[in-house]
Amino acid sequence: MLSIKGLHATVDGKEILKGVDLTVRTGEVHAIMGPNGSGKSTLSYVISGRDGYEVTAGEILFDGEDVTEMEPEERARAGLFLAFQYPLEIPGVSMTNFLRTAVNSHRRHRGEDELDPMQFVKLVRSKAKALGVKDDLLKRSVNVGFSGGEKKRNEVLQMALLEPRLAVLDETDSGLDIDALKIVADGVNALRGPENATLVITHYQRLLDYIVPDHVHVLAGGRIVRSGGAELAHELEAKGYAGILPEAA
Amino acid sequence: MTDLATQAGDAAPLPFQAQLDAVAPTLPGAGQPWAATLRREARDRFRTLGLPHRKIEAWKYTDVRSLAKRDYRPAPQAADGLSDGLRAVLASDRQEAGRIVFVNGHLRRDLSQLEGLPDGVSAMALADTLEAGDRLVADRLGQLVSVDDRPFHALNTGMMADGLVLHLAPRVVLDVPLNVVFLTEAAGDAASMVCPRVLVVAEPGSQAVIVERHAGVDGAHYFSAPVFEVDVADGARIAHYKLQQEGDQATHLATILARIGRDATYDNFVLSVGAELARNEIVTRFTGRGGDCRLSGGYMARAKQHLDTTTRIEHAVPDCRSREVYKGVLDDRARGVFQGKIVVSRDAQRTDGYQMNRALLLSRNAEIDSKPELEIYADDVKCSHGATAGEIDSDALFYMRARGIDEQAARNLLIEAFVLEVLDEIADPAVREDFAEVVMHWLDGHRND
């Protein structure tokens, strides 16, 4: 589903990714772990197409198609989803309006009829209920006045509405207490299926107790330096990054 | 004053001077000595002031020299009928009830509803009151707030032929908005000018909501210099909402004057989207304690539009509050100007003043000039002001695009959110909804670019 080959990327002219190779197949959960500054967030932004993150070499194939020249909205509609580490607050844009615009742009892209406000409210209520997102949050401006947990739950709600084929979770555990973490992880797990895949980007092993990966990769210095199964995360937890990456420490 | 003297001494003939002199004897009420005097003094004042230029502080950011390049003639009076262009403009007006329509500055009874107003509310044609020598008009017209240094106010007074006189008897409440529409067009290929005048006298304890709309046809060269004067007597409340939707080649230079009595409230909101060059100059003066003045508005400009908001709030007495909130969106090569002056006299203790102007620039070639000015002579006052200029938040934009929303749609949602917030300053829900329509329509034009 996702195949990243020899990916080099720069931010402000500085090379952050220095040859990343990664293959994610349908139905799999991959975790990318790494110390601060290893390029984890850069990788998530490069995959989703953020301005200012320039691919200088290599390719990102999604369902066999190179997405590196695609706009962020085109990638999203093709089934890529980025759950933000720091979801943005957008004063004056209501959650409902934002979510409906997003859902309808996906539907238009698929050649489906747009949902009218009534149909949409029904849909969003049912999804929100399953995630424990309160109705009154839907009436507020996007993420404005939300707690850290509410913001992350809102990311998962968006994921539930857009049903991506590949979800990239960027440090989704940051700023969450254990209860909030469980709710978010349950939400993500509920959306997993044989037709989609998940890429979890995290600094800590903690999240991986709840979203159990099939493969774990260690990103350091802009490259994937080790790959393994779920046990690699535990090894990292025990030894620390310095313990297994003497040369990168 | 040296600038003014130099200007008056220039060899080039002063624009509009010939028109002023020519129309004087033909204007309604020319036979009334007080009206003749009022106009003559205004003509003299205009002659002295001349067309403002950018060396005059108040006109530093707004260049009106383009007015001298065309031969603007008083717009012809059409007795009945309506051009297709104006008919379409009028049809787009959603507020048909209680509407009073002026075409080329003249009241059109066939399109207006002057009857059926509640007892104690009278709406009259200014032309009639001038002819009749109406006492109320003789006493108040041009007398509420003195503005000796405003040339376009002087031009209006010198040339005013018609307009609206609205009188609210004490404690009368007009509970549905009164809609006053000014439609203007050019006379064939010739450039035309209009000087419509509104005088509102709200006696003590009375209340009204007035919606003033100025519109015209795109492509027509015309110049409108309207003056709106309102006397808000003790305990009266006037909400005055204005929509500036002139045609895209029009020049609109408006003066709004309000005298605010004891415990009285004057609420003004201007949504400015039309004209090539527009200025709304608002001067309010508190004359009794406990007065409240709220001036707010939105301006949205694209192409080479120039939209200016210039306000002056005179806190002449103690214990009054003023609040100003403006927001603008500027695209392409458009330019916005905000000049807000608050003057607090020595006696005006416990004045509470707030002023804010925020502009959103959608293009690198757009420009906003913000000039807040506080002139405070009292020592016990609370006054604050602020101005911001910014671009679309690129992080928020990416967030929305990452959810599959097209860049243009995402930008529009952000612009919409920015502008719609200021509409909350409009207390009347129906008017707020109407003005929101205009904002959305502007954004639609954006989508189609």
Side-chain angles (χ1 to χ4, degrees), chain A residues 7-249:
Chain A
L7 184 68
H8 288 251
T10 57
V11 181
D12 291 332
K14 192 175 171 223
E15 186 166 67
I16 308 289
L17 299 182
K18 301 170 181 171
V20 173
D21 293 287
L22 178 71
T23 302
V24 179
R25 277 176 281 271
T26 1
E28 292 180 345
V29 175
H30 286 243
I32 294 195
M33 303 186 70
N36 289 330
S38 59
K40 298 193 301 293
S41 280
T42 298
L43 180 61
S44 70
Y45 287 142
V46 169
I47 293 173
S48 52
R50 185 169 198 157
D51 281 350
Y53 291 75
E54 204 178 337
V55 173
T56 49
E59 56 184 14
I60 303 170
L61 300 177
F62 183 62
D63 285 338
E65 200 182 339
D66 190 358
V67 299
T68 49
E69 293 299 315
M70 281 163 66
E71 299 293 339
E73 57 268 35
E74 294 171 330
R75 300 182 199 203
R77 293 190 296 242
L80 269 168
F81 182 91
L82 171 65
F84 282 59
Q85 181 179 5
Y86 303 110
L88 272 294
E89 296 184 6
I90 313 179
V93 176
S94 77
M95 281 284 293
T96 308
N97 193 10
F98 168 66
L99 297 173
R100 191 163 73 93
T101 307
V103 166
N104 278 338
S105 71
H106 282 252
R107 292 182 68 93
R108 249 195 334 270
H109 177 72
R110 292 194 297 259
E112 297 168 9
D113 286 341
E114 296 187 19
L115 298 181
D116 65 36
M118 291 291 284
Q119 293 169 313
F120 180 74
V121 164
K122 248 179 103 175
L123 172 72
V124 78
R125 285 225 174 113
S126 67
K127 301 272 186 192
K129 201 173 172 196
L131 287 163
V133 174
K134 282 177 255 135
D135 271 3
D136 75 290
L137 286 190
L138 299 173
K139 291 179 194 137
R140 289 205 229 150
S141 290
V142 177
N143 290 322
V144 175
F146 286 29
S147 69
E150 286 169 338
K151 283 182 182 172
K152 295 297 169 78
R153 251 183 274 180
N154 184 22
E155 293 295 288
V156 182
L157 172 62
Q158 292 168 42
M159 203 171 133
L161 286 166
L162 300 176
E163 300 175 334
R165 299 208 49 233
L166 176 71
V168 179
L169 311 180
D170 185 10
E171 306 270 4
T172 290
D173 48 338
S174 70
L176 290 189
D177 60 32
I178 202 75
D179 293 336
L181 186 68
K182 271 186 188 161
I183 294 169
V184 167
D186 286 349
V188 172
N189 287 329
L191 298 171
R192 284 170 60 178
E195 290 307 311
N196 57 35
T198 311
L199 185 61
V200 182
I201 293 175
T202 183
H203 185 84
Y204 300 105
Q205 186 264 340
R206 185 173 78 144
L207 179 63
L208 305 180
D209 287 342
Y210 300 96
I211 304 174
V212 181
D214 303 302
H215 302 274
V216 174
H217 312 274
V218 179
L219 185 70
R223 268 194 208 98
I224 288 180
V225 295
R226 263 190 78 176
S227 294
E231 72 287 349
L232 179 55
H234 295 282
E235 189 185 335
L236 270 174
E237 183 74 358
K239 297 184 185 167
Y241 287 107
I244 68 160
L245 306 165
E247 77 281 12

Side-chain angles (χ1 to χ4, degrees), chain B residues 214-368:
Chain B
H214 291 260
V217 180
D218 285 346
H221 290 280
Y222 65 87
F223 164 41
S224 179
V227 170
F228 189 109
E229 289 177 285
V230 53
D231 191 7
V232 194
D234 296 351
R237 302 175 70 91
I238 292 294
H240 173 201
Y241 305 120
K242 174 174 171 178
L243 192 48
Q244 188 279 103
Q245 270 182 315
E246 303 280 20
D248 63 3
Q249 300 298 310
T251 301
H252 177 99
L253 301 173
T255 312
I256 296 170
L257 306 169
R259 182 167 78 178
I260 307 167
R262 185 177 180 121
D263 297 323
T265 298
Y266 176 65
D267 213 338
N268 172 290
F269 187 101
V270 179
L271 181 60
S272 197
V273 295
E276 185 175 39
L277 167 62
R279 168 148 154 152
N280 277 288
E281 190 155 350
I282 307 172
V283 183
T284 68
R285 185 177 172 86
F286 290 108
T287 56
R289 289 173 184 241
D292 218 320
C293 174
R294 291 188 291 263
L295 307 181
S296 49
Y299 47 95
M300 305 177 85
R302 58 164 62 100
K304 290 169 89 173
Q305 273 182 289
H306 180 113
L307 302 181
D308 174 334
T309 302
T310 295
T311 66
R312 178 183 170 95
I313 299 177
E314 299 177 4
H315 281 269
V317 292
D319 299 309
C320 293
R321 290 170 303 278
S322 65
R323 172 182 168 84
E324 288 180 86
V325 180
Y326 288 90
K327 275 189 156 188
V329 177
L330 303 166
D331 200 0
D332 306 324
R333 302 191 153 273
R335 192 165 174 200
V337 175
F338 174 77
Q339 305 183 99
K341 189 164 188 169
I342 302 175
V343 184
V344 182
S345 306
R346 205 159 51 110
D347 298 335
Q349 300 295 2
R350 297 170 301 282
T351 285
D352 187 345
Y354 172 81
Q355 180 191 89
M356 178 57 78
N357 177 50
R358 292 189 195 280
L360 181 63
L361 304 176
L362 302 180
S363 141
R364 295 202 179 278
N365 296 314
E367 183 180 327
I368 175 74

